[in-house]
Amino acid sequence: MCPCYEELLYDVPGSGGILGSPLILIQVTRLRCGGFIFALRLNHTMSDGPGLVQFLNAISEMGQGLSVPSLLPIWQRELLNARNPPRITRIHHEYEEVTNTKGTLMAMDENNLVHRSFFFGLKEIRALRNRLPASLGACSTFEVLIAYVWRCRTIAFAVDPDEVVRISCLINMRGKRGFDLPPGYYGNAFVYPASITKAGMLCKNPLEYAIRLLKKAKAEMSQEYIKSVADLMVIKGRPSFTQPGNYLISDLTHAGFGEVDFGWGKPVYGGVARALSNISFCMRFRNSKGEEGNVIPICLPPPVMERFEQELKRMTKEAEPVRLIKSML
């Protein structure tokens, strides 16, 4: 988590809503060392991560002399409209209505959360991969890390073994067959299918179990699934994603935040400033030792955070324990 967050991006009164609020807030803070912090808050109805990076690159190019950006913005939201008539043809666990029947589904008080960021370098990732059988096949670093974090997080919450838990991973629709989103399209173009299982199965099985669930959800992603999501939005009136027992995580390692150059070179860090109660992000990061890796910010209730850290260390005991980053600056 970034220190002094509130000082780096002033929360303008009345700006936190969706309607009648600024689309973007920007604050630039100069540092005594000669550097600066460019902080931004986006109204997410306008754009997703890749769209925001496109906007930042446009600012960079025009600030350095171009009269128009090299990649022109394209609206064309009708490309992702629902069908007529709309019809839900797939199961969408990410939008199911869930009752917290046993009272253990990770309820959190927003005013009593600990924010911490965890660094996963080559040693930690190697230790996790050593736990996986060859029969599992190829796994991305993101799949390994989020399966690991999801499992540790569920154990830390001490969820009832019979409760159903889920994880939703954001999947970018750009480049997907059947949609042909043009270069320059900056609107929200993602879905977040959920992998589900009983908490007891997730916690007692080895890491490969969680990875197989993630791979299964990803394999089911198709043109029809995405169209079914758009239709669901119309039929059910834009429902929120499932809250109880759900953990959302977005892979921003390839979004391009770390490549934005306003004329002073690439940033020391480019990415999200902090996590939300049940939403995390995976981002590229170079630690104070110069090691390249991934950082995942997480916020949890204090006792849960303590158990979470213990479980992280237990699973990577073959290598140097996962390192806590006190500050991203």
Side-chain angles (χ1 to χ4, degrees):
M1 178 183 177
C2 291
C4 310
Y5 175 82
E6 293 77 12
E7 297 179 36
L8 299 176
L9 184 61
Y10 176 62
D11 186 9
V12 178
S15 67
I18 295 177
L19 300 177
S21 296
L23 298 180
I24 293 177
L25 290 179
I26 295 176
Q27 177 178 323
V28 179
T29 304
R30 292 189 176 274
L31 306 176
R32 290 180 179 178
C33 65
F36 63 91
I37 298 171
F38 184 100
L40 177 149
R41 188 175 78 188
L42 172 75
N43 188 323
H44 215 323
T45 60
M46 292 299 298
S47 175
D48 58 9
L52 176 57
V53 171
Q54 178 186 335
F55 172 72
L56 294 175
N57 282 328
I59 293 177
S60 169
E61 291 177 340
M62 297 180 72
Q64 296 180 67
L66 289 185
S67 57
V68 295
S70 59
L71 183 60
L72 293 176
I74 293 178
W75 179 258
Q76 291 189 340
R77 304 301 168 96
E78 70 278 3
L79 294 174
L80 298 179
N81 278 354
R83 294 172 288 198
N84 187 17
R87 54 194 182 276
I88 301 173
T89 57
R90 293 292 186 270
I91 296 174
H92 299 284
H93 295 298
E94 63 272 28
Y95 293 109
E96 289 177 336
E97 294 184 13
V98 175
T99 301
N100 194 354
T101 56
K102 300 182 184 297
T104 64
L105 277 182
M106 309 176 189
M108 289 190 276
D109 179 2
E110 293 284 351
N111 297 318
N112 185 33
L113 296 176
V114 177
H115 297 256
R116 291 180 184 165
S117 296
F118 296 89
F119 177 79
F120 301 88
L122 292 178
K123 292 181 180 179
E124 292 82 11
I125 295 171
R126 186 183 306 117
L128 294 175
R129 288 190 180 278
N130 287 341
R131 290 177 170 267
L132 305 177
S135 61
L136 184 60
C139 301
S140 68
T141 297
F142 179 66
E143 289 172 337
V144 174
L145 286 181
I146 61 174
Y148 168 56
V149 170
W150 180 34
R151 185 176 183 274
C152 292
R153 187 176 181 273
T154 304
I155 292 173
F157 267 105
V159 180
D160 186 285
D162 290 328
E163 289 280 25
V164 174
V165 294
R166 63 197 73 206
I167 184 169
S168 296
C169 301
L170 273 68
I171 295 180
N172 189 353
M173 293 161 52
R174 292 170 177 81
K176 297 293 184 184
R177 184 179 302 174
F179 291 96
D180 301 321
L181 295 180
Y185 182 87
Y186 63 91
N188 288 290
F190 63 84
V191 290
Y192 37 85
S195 302
I196 68 170
T197 182
K198 286 189 175 182
M201 293 293 291
L202 177 63
C203 296
K204 75 178 183 181
N205 276 297
L207 183 62
E208 66 176 285
Y209 175 79
I211 294 178
R212 290 188 188 278
L213 291 175
L214 295 171
K215 285 179 170 291
K216 180 177 182 293
K218 186 176 180 180
E220 293 173 351
M221 190 55 44
S222 63
Q223 178 182 352
E224 182 60 31
Y225 186 97
I226 295 171
K227 289 182 179 296
S228 181
V229 171
D231 294 350
L232 181 146
M233 293 291 107
V234 172
I235 293 173
K236 295 193 175 182
R238 301 189 63 83
S240 176
F241 59 84
T242 303
Q243 297 280 351
N246 195 11
Y247 180 44
L248 276 74
I249 187 162
S250 176
D251 182 8
L252 296 179
T253 55
H254 304 291
F257 286 105
E259 304 299 315
V260 177
D261 184 352
F262 293 110
W264 287 268
K266 295 180 181 179
V268 173
Y269 170 76
V272 177
R274 63 180 182 180
L276 302 175
S277 59
N278 62 341
I279 304 176
S280 291
F281 307 87
C282 183
M283 297 163 288
R284 297 294 301 167
F285 188 75
R286 178 183 296 168
N287 67 10
S288 59
K289 298 179 181 179
E291 299 172 315
E292 297 285 349
N294 294 277
V295 65
I296 299 179
I298 295 174
C299 56
L300 296 168
V304 178
M305 181 65 79
E306 183 177 347
R307 294 193 296 268
F308 176 75
E309 290 189 40
Q310 291 172 353
E311 189 62 23
L312 288 180
K313 294 175 182 178
R314 187 190 70 79
M315 285 193 66
T316 54
K317 61 183 179 181
E318 301 95 327
E320 183 178 343
V322 173
R323 285 156 282 183
L324 171 66
I325 300 175
K326 296 181 179 179
S327 168
M328 290 185 182
L329 298 179

